[in-house]
Amino acid sequence: MASYSFIWRMGCSLKFHRLKLNLRVSSRTYKTEAAVFGHNPLLIRDQPVTDLDRITKETLPVHCLINGYREYGHLQSRVNPLGQSSKLDISSCQWILNPESYSLNMSDTVTNPPPVYSHIISNEVTTVSDLVDKLKHIYCDKLTVEVAHMVDSAEKDWFCKQYEELHQSELMPEHRQQNAILMKKSQVFEQILASKFTTLKRYGGDGCESLIALYNEIFRESATGGVDKIVVCSAHRGRLNLLTTFLGLSPAQVFRKVQGHREWPENVKGCGDVLSHLSSGKTLEYADGEVYVTMIPNPSHLEACNPVAAGKTRAKQRLAMDGDYSTHPHDTQTHRALCLQIHGDAAFAGQGVIQETLALSGVPHFNVGGSIHVVINNQLGFTTEAERGRTSLYSSCVTKMNSVPVIRVNGEDADSMIKAAALAVRYRNTWHKDVIIDVMCYRRLGHNELDDPSFTQPIMYRVIKDKMPVPDTYLSQLIEEGVCKEEDMNGKISGWHTYLQQQFETSKEAVIEADHLEKQWSGMTQASSTVTTWDTGVDEQLLRFVSAKSVDVPADFTAHPTLNRSHIQRRIEKTQQNSPIDWATAEAMAFGSLLIQGYDVRISGQDVGRGTFSHRHIMLVDQETDAIHIPLNHMYDEQTNFLEVGNSILSEEAVLGFEYGFSIESPRCLAIWEAQFGDFFNGAQIMIDTYISSGEAKWLRQTGLVMLLPTGMDGAGPEHSSCRLERFLQLTDSKEEETDGDDVNMYVAHPTTPSQYFHLLRRQMLRNFRKPLIVGSPKTLLRLPAAVSTLPDMAPGTHFHPVLDDSVVNKSKVSKVVFCSGKHFYTLAEERDKRKATDVALVRLEELCPFPTQSLQHVTKSYPSAKQFIWSQEEHRNYGSWSFVRPRFENLVGVKLGYAGRAELAAPACGMGIVHKTECANILESTFNS
Ligand SMILES: Cc1ncc(C[n+]2csc(CCOP(=O)(O)OP(=O)(O)O)c2C)c(N)n1
Ligand SMILES: [Mg+2]
């Protein structure tokens, strides 16, 4: 009975196959078919990609048996070189893999095999027993796949068929030979490092040496299949070997680094990073094509590099007008830049950024056409074995949410590794989705080479001790099979030995170069230690043009009536009447003018198209069709630079990492990430600490990324009030006892007017260096009538002012100077008017880092009668800019500041309205009456 119900279930799913085939639609579009910049709807495949609908009642049992192996065969595979994992309960699949469950006997002849399986049921398969043997060989040996979770049955069928054919194919002898020698060379390199530097933690690839063959075949297959660039990110394991074997990092450079020498010339500013974070890139040539492979630098924080690599890949696609940026609709299915992400098994299962990056992978404006993931599954994370390192059966189970295939391979079988690589690349290039290769291997030594792993895994290491290294066994196998000659191989290996020895001896004299200002970065420089001012003004006519165009919609576009009135018509009127300019208009003017000047703009974050506070509306939605219109991308016919609006998934870490990755590849794109509310940035703290604030110092990678962090104490409670500017200020390398220059690591601004914001954004692109910019951005100021600017504030010759002096007081009568920043200025100004406190001057610090010492010295001197200098802030005393400005005012400006603001608190703001109001009153009192 059970078997019948199973067949019935399969029969139902068969009908589902047919249904799906007829209804195939792309799942990666907006609600309309219309393309927007950075997103081309996927073409719907016009031909069926499965023949499963030809299965009949008679052939159904054989189909069920084959399908059983496709879906469950991996549970009985031999992919684990250390033997079966105790997590695996194979009894659950016995029934599914048993022919009798489908009323088939082992001795039965396979009559009328379904034609769709002709590549499996060929001449040598006559009985059910033959078929089971063959299926066991394909699905239960050292290479297998996991596909049961894939919801698109046509895609799953395509993948299985490819796998089955590839599994049975012969490998090219020259490829096997090349891989054997590459593995042997990498092994020799590890041995030399180990013998010359006995205390070095190199995180070697011992125990997963066949990865070298896997990488080689991913590169070869990519080059052959039309991929021309690969962006790699990798954790520590085997990384040095990947860099030296393929990516042009010379052994001499590694030896130099281990000995503690500089990795770039003395005139280049930076602190450098450790050996296991180095990176490099090189063009690799294969018989059928070439591919440029580059690895991004990474911090120690495991898996943080993944969204960064994906973002960089997407930027490469933009630069090449590839993938989603292609202007040829039929090209939409090529993504010639590929992202290769290399993971450790424990980190892959444990780090949340993996889930976020996977969730991002198919979303418009973040899609890179599929990444290839390699999990170096040595079944240990430091000293924690897989059984206790995760809940899921496999390390890769998190990827099931994306309905993409997993290839499982025994790392001791180099031939299977080669096939796994080919399959992954072909799937990615056909379906433009992620694919995972789970390499089951082991770690011959401890987490680092100085550790003793038998402290914690004694039994596992008894097994590992007796294992022969794969480069040795594979080479012997090829010699035995006559694929290569022992003398030739020995000659090559000893030649490599000699080369490495020479590299070691000459390493101290090796020429060192910094490569950070090459290609699209040429013309850029490292920022100087002085402060420069940049004319970021724009012709008023042009600004009027941009303003009008920023709300221009096609004749057949149906705008929402409220937006038509409050956004579109109002901006048109304002533009015509020279009315004051609000925050959103100034932003549109900055974006549009940059586009006209040859820069791209990309803004991403949650709901950025409309804006959290419904003020931006840079992306309009047709009320009849749901079509998206981005007016700034239609300013004029020959427009070549565009605004990309990436309404992101609800993630901070992966999205911010993605934008950072995009920005390090694109000095000519103003990349902006906006937090929904400022404090949500802390979900992405790893990206800020390890990339944004320190990437240039560690790796010479500049970024002009802008982080917009809505902030302001407006009674919204602990989590929607403060963007915690203090955190950013503490992360800067601003000096406490010397004047800052342009070369601070991050700019931190808290502007109060639309024109100041306009200049800040434009300055990011017009300067000849790039620095991250953190903006405490407004919430209530977006609509405050006082917070407006005029066109002359943005005209040619104008620029950003780090300090805005008081323009209304009679300076000689001022007895108290109050310094402040952000929206608090308007509260103070209103209060001063109320109190008629004409002897109080309000001076705004619009930019806190670099600290504007000279401007402040100048301003302070201009108040000859001032007796009191106060810092007034709305934040609590342990938040905001107070602890940053205080020592700088004292040491650099020569002013001892008094404090007016909230008292210390555990949370950034209180949650009780009545308390909030009292606090506000107290701040005003302490500012004006102290
Ligand atoms: C976010 C983070 N947490 C902890 C560590 C410390 N750490 C470094 S390597 C490692 C184990 C990683 O295991 P796995 O991902 O399986 O890689 P393997 O070392 O086995 O190749 C740990 C815990 C780290 N580098 N990053
Ligand atoms: Mg591991």
Side-chain angles (χ1 to χ4, degrees):
M1 185 59 206
S3 61
Y4 278 111
S5 73
F6 184 73
I7 291 177
W8 182 84
R9 210 151 57 77
M10 298 302 283
C12 285
S13 88
L14 206 64
K15 283 186 204 129
F16 184 59
H17 278 303
R18 292 206 184 98
L19 198 69
K20 275 194 74 75
L21 270 180
N22 297 336
L23 293 179
R24 283 187 64 77
V25 288
S26 163
S27 59
R28 290 192 224 168
T29 59
Y30 285 104
K31 284 192 187 147
T32 64
E33 290 295 303
V36 296
F37 177 68
H39 175 73
N40 282 322
L42 270 185
L43 292 182
I44 294 166
R45 289 173 183 80
D46 47 9
Q47 60 200 17
V49 285
T50 180
D51 293 324
L52 285 177
D53 50 351
R54 291 210 221 139
I55 289 168
T56 62
K57 201 169 154 197
E58 289 71 38
T59 59
L60 187 60
V62 169
H63 162 74
C64 290
L65 181 64
I66 293 174
N67 199 59
Y69 271 89
R70 282 180 168 186
E71 294 193 344
Y72 293 92
H74 65 92
L75 292 175
Q76 294 204 344
S77 69
R78 299 197 302 139
V79 292
N80 190 344
L82 301 182
Q84 208 64 276
S85 152
S86 63
K87 267 193 176 280
L88 219 60
D89 175 12
I90 54 168
S91 60
S92 57
C93 66
Q94 305 282 27
W95 179 85
I96 294 166
L97 302 183
N98 183 358
E100 287 172 17
S101 306
Y102 317 108
S103 309
L104 294 168
N105 291 317
M106 282 299 214
S107 55
D108 287 352
T109 306
V110 184
T111 48
N112 288 329
V116 10
Y117 296 124
S118 60
H119 59 291
I120 299 177
I121 309 168
S122 46
N123 293 343
E124 82 276 17
V125 177
T126 50
T127 63
V128 170
S129 168
D130 295 338
L131 178 58
V132 168
D133 285 349
K134 189 144 187 189
L135 289 171
K136 280 198 169 142
H137 177 58
I138 296 176
Y139 282 102
C140 305
D141 205 3
K142 293 187 176 172
L143 179 62
T144 190
V145 296
E146 193 188 0
V147 295
H149 55 281
M150 290 175 73
V151 290
D152 185 328
S153 55
E155 185 181 326
K156 180 162 96 180
D157 179 45
W158 179 96
F159 179 77
C160 289
K161 210 181 238 172
Q162 284 284 320
Y163 167 65
E164 288 150 1
E165 284 171 358
L166 196 73
H167 194 277
Q168 299 173 76
S169 65
E170 292 286 325
L171 292 174
M172 307 260 280
E174 56 271 32
H175 291 177
R176 297 176 79 203
Q177 203 185 99
Q178 188 193 37
N179 287 317
I181 197 76
L182 283 173
M183 279 196 281
K184 219 29 228 177
K185 280 181 170 180
S186 80
Q187 183 191 39
V188 170
F189 176 63
E190 299 274 17
Q191 285 165 349
I192 289 211
L193 267 181
S195 68
K196 300 228 179 273
F197 308 102
T198 47
T199 55
L200 174 70
K201 297 176 182 176
R202 63 189 154 86
Y203 306 105
D206 321 61
C208 55
E209 295 92 339
S210 61
L211 280 169
I212 292 293
L214 183 91
Y215 297 146
N216 189 37
E217 293 307 316
I218 290 177
F219 300 151
R220 184 205 310 283
E221 190 73 25
S222 297
T224 310
V227 168
D228 56 15
K229 294 172 218 76
I230 300 181
V231 178
V232 188
C233 60
S234 168
H236 48 290
R237 187 73 52 208
R239 180 186 171 110
L240 268 187
N241 234 317
L242 171 54
L243 288 167
T244 48
T245 308
F246 298 103
L247 306 189
L249 183 68
S250 73
Q253 282 169 285
V254 174
F255 298 141
R256 268 185 66 85
K257 179 72 190 163
V258 181
Q259 293 169 83
H261 298 293
R262 300 186 69 89
E263 65 230 45
W264 53 71
E266 301 226 3
N267 62 348
V268 175
K269 294 187 242 183
C271 62
D273 201 352
V274 297
L275 182 67
S276 56
H277 299 170
L278 296 186
S279 63
S280 61
K282 190 182 170 191
T283 298
L284 304 180
E285 288 169 14
Y286 291 96
D288 294 321
E290 56 178 48
V291 59
Y292 174 72
V293 187
T294 180
M295 191 191 282
I296 62 161
N298 67 308
S300 290
H301 291 64
L302 293 165
E303 307 295 342
C305 55
N306 302 305
V308 177
K312 182 172 163 110
T313 308
R314 177 125 180 138
K316 282 193 180 293
Q317 293 174 349
R318 165 59 184 134
L319 287 173
M321 303 282 278
D322 175 24
D324 294 349
Y325 299 100
S326 170
T327 48
H328 306 290
H330 295 293
D331 261 9
T332 54
Q333 309 236 4
T334 69
H335 292 88
R336 293 191 302 278
L338 163 74
C339 183
L340 170 63
Q341 303 179 20
I342 301 165
H343 317 275
D345 58 315
F348 198 57
Q351 291 293 304
V353 70
I354 290 296
Q355 183 273 344
E356 291 190 21
T357 311
L358 289 166
L360 206 59
S361 63
V363 170
H365 308 291
F366 300 90
N367 168 41
V368 293
S371 297
I372 295 182
H373 301 263
V374 174
V375 182
I376 305 177
N377 195 340
N378 55 22
Q379 312 181 56
L380 279 169
F382 214 137
T383 69
T384 303
E385 57 222 71
E387 278 72 11
R388 273 167 292 148
R390 60 175 191 261
T391 301
S392 57
L393 175 59
Y394 296 125
S395 158
S396 60
C397 282
V398 63
T399 65
K400 287 184 183 174
M401 71 185 199
N402 279 358
S403 189
V404 293
V406 182
I407 303 163
R408 299 196 184 287
V409 56
N410 187 322
E412 281 194 314
D413 184 356
D415 284 344
S416 290
M417 293 285 270
I418 297 173
K419 289 183 177 177
L423 181 64
V425 176
R426 286 177 208 173
Y427 171 81
R428 183 269 179 188
N429 286 350
T430 304
W431 296 89
H432 305 278
K433 290 167 73 177
D434 287 12
V435 55
I436 293 86
I437 308 173
D438 188 359
V439 178
M440 297 296 294
C441 51
Y442 51 86
R443 203 182 63 197
R444 180 170 296 282
L445 305 163
H447 170 64
N448 63 63
E449 290 70 22
L450 313 180
D451 265 355
D452 184 343
S454 62
F455 288 167
T456 44
Q457 276 77 34
I459 296 174
M460 180 191 255
Y461 272 82
R462 255 176 251 157
V463 179
I464 292 173
K465 190 167 59 63
D466 293 334
K467 294 233 167 236
M468 285 293 289
V470 175
D472 299 336
T473 52
Y474 192 57
L475 195 57
S476 307
Q477 183 192 341
L478 295 199
I479 292 167
E480 216 166 274
E481 288 177 23
V483 175
C484 52
K485 293 205 180 83
E486 191 167 4
E487 317 81 78
D488 294 350
M489 290 294 149
N490 286 344
K492 283 182 182 161
I493 293 160
S494 70
W496 178 243
H497 251 292
T498 315
Y499 168 74
L500 288 179
Q501 189 56 37
Q502 280 165 356
Q503 286 271 300
F504 177 70
E505 277 152 21
T506 56
S507 59
K508 278 187 206 129
E509 290 84 53
V511 181
I512 44 168
E513 283 168 359
D515 64 350
H516 59 305
L517 301 176
E518 290 174 0
K519 297 181 184 166
Q520 66 269 33
W521 288 89
S522 64
M524 292 281 163
T525 177
Q526 281 199 312
S528 75
S529 53
T530 54
V531 173
T532 51
T533 302
W534 295 76
D535 177 355
T536 41
V538 176
D539 180 77
E540 290 186 31
Q541 277 302 102
L542 188 73
L543 290 179
R544 274 204 196 88
F545 170 80
V546 171
S547 175
K549 284 290 176 188
S550 71
V551 287
D552 194 21
V553 291
D556 60 353
F557 185 90
T558 312
H560 189 283
T562 306
L563 288 185
N564 194 27
R565 204 175 48 250
S566 66
H567 179 71
I568 299 178
Q569 294 309 327
R570 188 176 294 172
R571 190 172 289 176
I572 291 171
E573 283 157 27
K574 278 188 182 175
T575 309
Q576 286 162 354
Q577 295 161 4
N578 268 349
S579 306
I581 289 154
D582 59 18
W583 212 273
T585 308
E587 181 184 79
M589 287 174 169
F591 289 180
S593 58
L594 285 171
L595 298 180
I596 291 170
Q597 276 178 279
Y599 300 94
D600 279 345
V601 179
R602 178 180 157 94
I603 182 162
S604 115
Q606 293 145 33
D607 313 292
V608 290
R610 188 200 79 156
T612 300
F613 311 101
S614 197
H615 69 288
R616 182 172 286 126
H617 299 291
I618 206 103
M619 171 194 110
L620 295 164
V621 184
D622 189 308
Q623 298 299 301
E624 298 299 328
T625 65
D626 254 350
I628 304 289
H629 183 70
I630 299 174
L632 283 176
N633 287 340
H634 304 273
M635 288 190 286
Y636 55 101
D637 284 347
E638 302 79 29
Q639 192 169 336
T640 51
N641 290 91
F642 300 99
L643 166 66
E644 179 160 22
V645 183
N647 273 348
S648 79
I649 63 163
L650 213 168
S651 141
E652 283 77 27
E653 186 175 6
V655 178
L656 184 62
F658 191 96
E659 299 313 325
Y660 169 80
F662 200 99
S663 71
I664 55 171
E665 184 69 14
S666 320
R668 295 188 66 82
C669 175
L670 177 67
I672 303 174
W673 178 77
E674 183 174 70
Q676 187 113 72
F677 283 88
D679 48 346
F680 295 127
F681 80 80
N682 54 15
Q685 191 70 55
I686 290 176
M687 295 300 162
I688 297 160
D689 292 346
T690 65
Y691 280 109
I692 296 170
S693 63
S694 55
E696 185 181 356
K698 292 190 288 189
W699 318 305
L700 306 182
R701 294 289 170 265
Q702 294 188 23
T703 167
L705 183 67
V706 178
M707 289 177 64
L708 298 181
L709 307 176
T711 191
M713 303 286 282
D714 46 15
E719 272 87 48
H720 287 84
S721 295
S722 163
C723 77
R724 298 177 185 259
L725 269 190
E726 69 281 356
R727 293 260 175 95
F728 293 93
L729 292 170
Q730 194 242 341
L731 270 181
T732 69
D733 58 3
S734 164
K735 303 183 194 73
E736 232 174 89
E737 295 181 339
E738 276 173 59
T739 306
D740 288 334
D742 283 345
D743 57 353
V744 289
N745 61 335
M746 278 193 308
Y747 280 59
V748 181
H750 197 183
T752 57
T753 71
S755 64
Q756 287 278 79
Y757 176 51
F758 167 89
H759 288 300
L760 273 175
L761 292 179
R762 286 183 47 77
R763 192 180 68 176
Q764 281 302 95
M765 288 293 100
L766 297 191
R767 292 193 292 208
N768 60 352
F769 59 88
R770 296 288 176 261
K771 289 285 177 185
L773 168 66
I774 315 301
V775 182
S777 62
K779 297 182 287 182
T780 51
L781 292 198
L782 295 170
R783 294 185 175 82
L784 188 77
V788 288
S789 299
T790 62
L791 282 180
D793 295 335
M794 308 182 200
T798 58
H799 57 85
F800 175 74
H801 295 275
V803 176
L804 287 180
D805 196 2
D806 200 316
S807 57
V808 296
V809 285
N810 179 346
K811 291 202 164 199
S812 60
K813 301 230 165 94
V814 166
S815 61
K816 183 192 277 186
V817 181
V818 176
F819 296 95
C820 60
S821 72
K823 96 174 207 303
H824 189 45
F825 163 75
Y826 293 99
T827 316
L828 294 177
E830 199 183 336
E831 184 69 11
R832 178 175 64 179
D833 288 353
K834 264 194 219 153
R835 293 180 182 234
K836 300 197 174 37
T838 49
D839 61 336
V840 177
L842 300 176
V843 177
R844 286 171 268 178
L845 253 80
E846 300 278 298
E847 187 170 73
L848 294 137
C849 181
F851 188 70
T853 302
Q854 277 147 358
S855 307
L856 286 172
Q857 284 170 342
H858 181 75
V859 166
T860 312
K861 276 198 199 113
S862 69
Y863 293 98
S865 319
K867 303 270 174 313
Q868 238 188 325
F869 296 92
I870 285 182
W871 175 259
S872 183
Q873 68 173 31
E874 42 174 20
E875 293 94 339
H876 289 271
R877 193 169 178 137
N878 51 326
Y879 300 91
S881 309
W882 167 238
S883 47
F884 179 84
V885 296
R886 184 190 199 176
R888 286 165 180 76
F889 265 93
E890 208 162 317
N891 302 339
L892 303 168
V893 188
V895 162
K896 201 164 167 41
L897 287 179
Y899 173 78
R902 286 176 163 85
E904 294 83 352
L905 193 72
C910 72
M912 290 177 268
I914 192 162
V915 178
H916 171 77
K917 277 192 189 145
T918 311
E919 288 172 348
C920 289
N922 289 346
I923 297 174
L924 295 176
E925 193 55 21
S926 59
T927 303
F928 289 96
N929 251 355
S930 59

